[in-house]
Each structure stands twice: as structure tokens, then as C-alpha cells.
Amino acid sequence: MKIVRSKAELRKEIAEPRRQEKRIGLVPTMGYFHDGHLSLMRGARRDCDVVVVSLFVNPTQFGPGEDLDSYPRDEDRDAELAAVEGVDILWTPDAKQMYPEGFATAVEVANSLTGVLEGDPENRGPSHFRGVTTVVAKLFNAVQPDVAYFGRKDAQQALVIERMTRDLDFPVEIEVLPTVRDEDGLALSSRNAYLSPEEREQATAISRALRAAERAAGAGETSVPALVEAVRDELRNSGIEPEYVEARAAEDLSPIAELNGRPLLVAVAARVGKARLIDNVVINTTEA
Ligand code: AMP
């Protein structure tokens, strides 16, 4: 595996495979790899001739007071894990490369997708997704992948990136792969590193709460507010006060009051100790 730091080196490494029309896969990450990241790398390895992983803790998607400085980092360990997965190129640009002096451009997807859930001004706010789409557009331009891999764990992010890709005609297929969880249900996240053993135990309530909503829907509950309440109940039982619990149409995040055959995204954000955790499920129902 080659570790490259500059865009010039990256370009040099992918020039030849691109000339040979090899299929190039990109896995964008912020590092501190866990099995969720590795599953994306495996997906890319299965489908592509050349696998590029970018590792960049993108400052523009962190708000003031968020955990940019304390975000977990371990590049040596990440490089070893990526090499084991057969990654060809690990690209680790620094902030000066990505945002040189005078950088002034942003890519922004409209409010209906970016102003709700994570992007609600009460939560992380729309500047979070502006940071995400701007950096992902830059990664796409630098790597020019045929396909890019994202995790369902960040369901809204995946939707926003799909929309940006379509709207700006990036010739990139977007693959969204399932959320990888620990045995106790907790969705893997680099931020789980912040949790003490007690907090980690408490955090399992998040996936339990989402399963409670799935179970309620499976048992015939069609009221979306009732499904949201089932999630809140389970969180309350474990002493978790969520930042939000929301249920919206999984394909465009529009509001839904009643299950009507359209897939429903049920999403939670909650702070447990120092970690702000997010998780979601998509409930598929057949029309009543
Ligand atoms: P991050 O490094 O947290 O920005 O994540 C990089 C990519 O990995 C994103 O596309 C995430 O959605 C994905 N990812 C993070 N956690 C998981 C997980 N538990 N399961 C599947 N994908 C994940």
C-alpha cells in the first residue's frame, strides 16, 4: 500500500490505472478505523481494481465547540489496518493542502435535505453538511473515482452526497453499505473511543430504542409519532436525553405522519458522556 500526502503524488499514482481504464474505488474517511470503515474498504476491494482510501479529519464539518481537536487519530494503526484490507493507496492530505490560503468556495445542497436532523440549527446546523459536501466534491475531483463508498450509519450524509453527485453530474456511483454494529448492537463509531465502560453500556440503549420502533412497526403500529415515542421511552429508561429522535421519509427526509408503504428513516442523536452518537434504522412496510 502506498501512503501519499500530496495531490500531486496522488495524481501520479492513479494516472496509470486510469489510463488503463481500471475501476477506481474511493472510501472517504476521517480515520481511527473500525470495522465500519473496513467493511467499506472490503466492498471497494471486491468491486474495484484500485482502492483509494482518503483519511482527512475535515475541519470545516466541525462546528465551534465540537470535538475537532480531540477527535481520535492514529495514522500508523490506520495504515496497518488498511494494508490488511488490500487498500492500494491511503491518501492523507493535511488541512493546508485541502484548504490553501484564500480558499473561498463551498458546495451546498439545499435546506430540505441539509437543514433537518443533523443539519437543524438546533443540532449541528447546515454548515456541517456544507463542510461535508465541499470536501467530498474535492475528494471526487482529486481521485476521480468510478465508485465511492459510504456508510448507512450516516444516512442523511449519504442522501446529501447522492443528491450532490446527481446535481453536479459527478460521474461517480455512490454505494451505501449497511451499518456495522458491535455484538451488543452499538453502531461502531470512532467517537465510541470517548466512552467509559459504564457509558458504553448505557449507549447500547440507542440501538435498543431503534429496535423497539422496528418491533412496534412490525406489530402493526402505523403512527409515526407513536414509533418516535417508542424510541424515546427506551432511551428514557436508560437515562439518555436525546438531542433528537426523528422519523422521516428515508428517500428525501420529508415529514411522514403515518406509515404508508414508503421506507421510514428513524434517526437518533444523543450525547453519552463526551461522545455525541448518531444511529438510525430504516423501517420498510408494505402498504396497508
Ligand atoms: P467517518 O470516518 O466517521 O467520517 O466515516 C467514514 C465513512 O465510514 C462514512 O461513510 C461513514 O458513514 C462510514 N461509517 C462510519 N461508521 C460506520 C458503521 N458503523 N458502519 C458502516 N459504515 C460506517
Side-chain angles (χ1 to χ4, degrees):
M1 185 180 75
K2 279 261 164 83
I3 301 181
V4 301
R5 308 223 174 259
S6 71
K7 271 181 267 184
E9 283 172 280
L10 173 72
R11 232 173 264 132
K12 195 162 132 253
E13 284 301 321
I14 47 189
E16 185 58 23
R18 184 167 305 121
R19 209 178 51 74
Q20 294 174 8
E21 298 191 4
K22 302 274 196 204
R23 185 167 167 84
I24 299 174
L26 170 65
V27 181
T29 80
M30 300 207 300
Y32 213 70
F33 294 154
H34 50 65
D35 229 30
H37 298 112
L38 302 186
S39 80
L40 301 183
M41 295 177 204
R42 283 173 207 141
R45 186 68 286 166
R46 254 193 319 271
D47 298 349
C48 300
D49 302 307
V50 179
V51 177
V52 181
V53 172
S54 61
L55 192 176
F56 178 57
V57 182
N58 175 35
T60 65
Q61 70 190 71
F62 287 77
E66 287 190 31
D67 57 343
L68 174 61
D69 292 336
S70 59
Y71 196 82
R73 291 166 169 90
D74 189 341
E75 193 188 305
D76 291 343
R77 176 178 165 275
D78 284 350
E80 279 171 27
L81 290 170
V84 169
E85 297 305 332
V87 168
D88 298 297
I89 301 172
L90 181 65
W91 178 33
T92 61
D94 63 15
K96 270 219 277 308
Q97 283 246 357
M98 292 305 272
Y99 304 111
E101 190 67 30
F103 187 90
T105 304
V107 176
E108 189 162 33
V109 170
N111 248 356
S112 57
L113 278 188
T114 58
V116 299
L117 302 173
E118 287 294 282
D120 187 314
E122 298 277 300
N123 302 324
R124 300 187 80 178
S127 68
H128 165 65
F129 286 114
R130 186 161 62 234
V132 169
T133 42
T134 302
V135 82
V136 170
K138 287 171 65 67
L139 299 174
F140 283 4
N141 282 331
V143 177
Q144 296 177 32
D146 297 283
V147 45
Y149 295 81
F150 296 89
R152 183 72 66 202
K153 153 89 162 32
D154 298 274
Q156 185 178 13
Q157 170 175 282
L159 277 180
V160 169
I161 288 167
E162 282 172 333
R163 183 67 59 88
M164 173 193 80
T165 303
R166 260 201 320 271
D167 289 355
L168 296 185
D169 304 312
F170 281 107
V172 181
E173 289 164 41
I174 305 298
E175 283 281 345
V176 184
L177 299 187
T179 301
V180 178
R181 300 175 180 282
D182 251 332
E183 273 169 25
D184 59 9
L186 182 67
L188 299 186
S189 164
S190 305
R191 291 188 167 99
N192 292 350
Y194 301 144
L195 300 171
S196 69
E198 297 73 35
E199 289 164 349
R200 204 192 167 296
E201 172 62 32
Q202 191 186 19
T204 60
I206 297 173
S207 61
R208 233 180 6 260
L210 290 166
R211 280 203 309 276
E214 274 181 318
R215 259 201 319 278
E221 181 59 75
T222 60
S223 152
V224 171
L227 296 176
V228 166
E229 204 40 46
V231 177
R232 288 189 176 280
D233 269 350
E234 186 70 41
L235 293 173
R236 208 175 292 124
N237 288 340
S238 301
I240 293 181
E241 178 58 46
E243 203 171 289
Y244 65 79
V245 177
E246 274 206 68
R248 289 173 169 268
E251 75 268 24
D252 62 3
L253 305 185
S254 58
I256 295 188
E258 198 63 34
L259 280 179
N260 58 2
R262 294 169 75 195
L264 183 77
L265 174 74
V266 185
V268 174
R271 201 168 276 279
V272 180
K274 283 201 289 290
R276 183 182 182 280
L277 303 177
I278 61 170
D279 198 356
N280 66 81
V281 287
V282 174
I283 296 177
N284 286 295
T285 49
T286 45
E287 200 149 6

